[in-house]
């Protein structure tokens, strides 16, 4: 596996991975309507352009195929962390996360935060994050539960 900085040409693969992961990995925690609303974010091209241009983006590759990605916004907010459905539990998310924490420390950040799905909550807890609050996020008129989580890194 190779981890490298993300570039604009990675966007189609990132968006595909985002939608497929939500569909397959998160289905045990969310209803079909919730999944559909959540993954509709793939169509917000302006947001994805902003992610690739303004955030610290890391891409995990295996055999030249994107198997995971993670983004860090404003030096201390983990915005996106997704791993391909067939690559779960292979250390990809942990590897990406570790590099994000290193980047935050390089920027002299003292905390990391993330808005985390039910599906990802356990992963973030294992990395030392704590739930600040449970949230209800409304996407396209559909309510989704997620968690504001935070970790002190210094």
């Amino acid at each position: 596996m190779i981890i490298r900085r993300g570039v604009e040409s990675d966007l189609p693969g990132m968006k595909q991975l985002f939608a497929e992961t939500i569909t397959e990995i998160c289905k045990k925690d969310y209803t079909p309507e919730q999944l559909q609303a959540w993954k509709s974010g793939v169509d917000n091209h302006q947001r994805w352009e902003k992610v690739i241009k303004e955030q610290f983006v890391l891409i995990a590759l295996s055999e030249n195929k994107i198997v995971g990605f993670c983004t860090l916004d404003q030096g201390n907010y983990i915005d996106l962390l997704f791993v391909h459905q067939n690559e779960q539990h292979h250390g990809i998310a942990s590897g990406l996360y570790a590099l994000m924490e290193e980047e935050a420390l390089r920027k002299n950040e003292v905390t990391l935060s993330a808005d985390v799905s039910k599906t990802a909550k356990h992963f973030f807890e294992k990395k030392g994050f704590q739930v600040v609050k449970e949230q209800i996020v409304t996407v396209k008129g559909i309510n989704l539960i997620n968690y504001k989580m935070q970790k002190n890194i210094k």
Side-chain angles (χ1 to χ4, degrees):
M1 179 181 67
I2 296 167
I3 297 178
R4 63 159 172 77
R5 289 290 300 268
V7 295
E8 198 163 348
S9 62
D10 291 321
L11 280 177
M14 290 170 65
K15 289 162 71 171
Q16 180 178 351
L17 181 61
F18 169 85
E20 289 175 357
T21 302
I22 290 168
T23 300
E24 293 303 319
I25 301 302
C26 302
K27 65 184 174 188
K28 67 184 182 299
D29 296 310
Y30 295 94
T31 68
E33 295 78 21
Q34 290 172 321
L35 296 172
Q36 193 63 39
W38 182 6
K39 72 180 183 178
S40 74
V42 80
D43 297 324
N44 185 344
H45 304 296
Q46 192 174 21
R47 173 172 165 29
W48 286 93
E49 288 288 329
K50 190 173 179 180
V51 164
I52 203 74
K53 288 178 178 160
E54 297 179 11
Q55 295 188 25
F56 180 74
V57 178
L58 292 178
I59 304 289
L61 296 168
S62 178
E63 298 175 10
N64 289 321
K65 184 177 175 189
I66 297 176
V67 293
F69 69 91
C70 190
T71 74
L72 188 67
D73 193 16
Q74 300 178 18
N76 65 0
Y77 176 74
I78 296 176
D79 187 15
L80 300 162
L81 175 55
F82 287 87
V83 174
H84 190 278
Q85 64 185 4
N86 296 332
E87 301 294 337
Q88 300 279 313
H89 309 292
H90 294 162
I92 295 168
S94 291
L96 289 166
Y97 169 75
L99 293 170
M100 288 297 166
E101 188 171 306
E102 285 177 20
E103 178 67 10
L105 287 168
R106 259 195 301 279
K107 299 217 181 264
N108 295 312
E109 298 291 344
V110 295
T111 61
L112 279 175
S113 66
D115 292 305
V116 176
S117 69
K118 291 183 200 177
T119 310
K121 183 175 175 258
H122 181 68
F123 170 82
F124 279 88
E125 287 173 333
K126 286 193 327 190
K127 298 300 175 195
F129 282 73
Q130 294 182 330
V131 174
V132 175
K133 67 179 178 177
E134 183 177 299
Q135 308 177 115
I136 296 177
V137 179
T138 304
V139 181
K140 300 216 173 199
I142 305 292
N143 290 338
L144 300 152
I145 291 175
N146 74 9
Y147 305 92
K148 171 70 74 185
M149 298 186 78
Q150 189 170 316
K151 176 184 179 179
N152 292 327
I153 56 174
K154 276 193 180 178

